[in-house]
Amino acid sequence: MQEQAELDVLKLVAGAKKQEYTALLRKHMAEYGMQDIADVGRLAQELADGDPFIAAALIPIVQEFARQTARDVRDFGRGLEYER
């Protein structure tokens, strides 16, 4: 019975560590993702160089990049299971 209790405690600690590391990685991904989105936005602005036609063509690309980056950060770690 004591062995089972010790095993349960170890599983709880491992689960907490997994959640902590996943949250830390998600935080870093969010920070870097935000920087990437800003960089892509600046690049699109630079490429458009004031041309409204080019800007209109680039805006959906930048928006989709931002949406996908947010989705990747949000979904990171889902489906990862820690079991031994």
Side-chain angles (χ1 to χ4, degrees):
M1 185 135 118
Q2 183 178 353
E3 283 182 29
Q4 183 61 40
E6 289 174 2
L7 184 59
D8 289 343
V9 168
L10 288 174
K11 284 182 181 180
L12 285 172
V13 169
K17 286 290 185 187
K18 177 200 167 266
Q19 288 179 344
E20 180 183 350
Y21 294 141
T22 300
L24 184 61
L25 285 171
R26 185 177 286 122
K27 178 183 177 234
H28 285 290
M29 285 178 66
E31 290 169 354
Y32 290 128
M34 288 172 52
Q35 184 61 50
D36 289 345
I37 291 166
D39 290 344
V40 168
R42 279 191 295 276
L43 179 59
Q45 188 175 22
E46 201 176 294
L47 289 171
D49 194 31
D51 184 322
F53 179 76
I54 294 174
L58 291 173
I59 287 171
I61 296 168
V62 174
Q63 289 173 332
E64 181 56 32
F65 181 79
R67 274 193 293 275
Q68 187 59 50
T69 301
R71 195 175 303 125
D72 290 345
V73 170
R74 185 178 55 249
D75 292 345
F76 176 77
R78 290 189 181 168
L80 295 177
E81 296 296 323
Y82 182 85
E83 294 204 19
R84 288 210 166 204

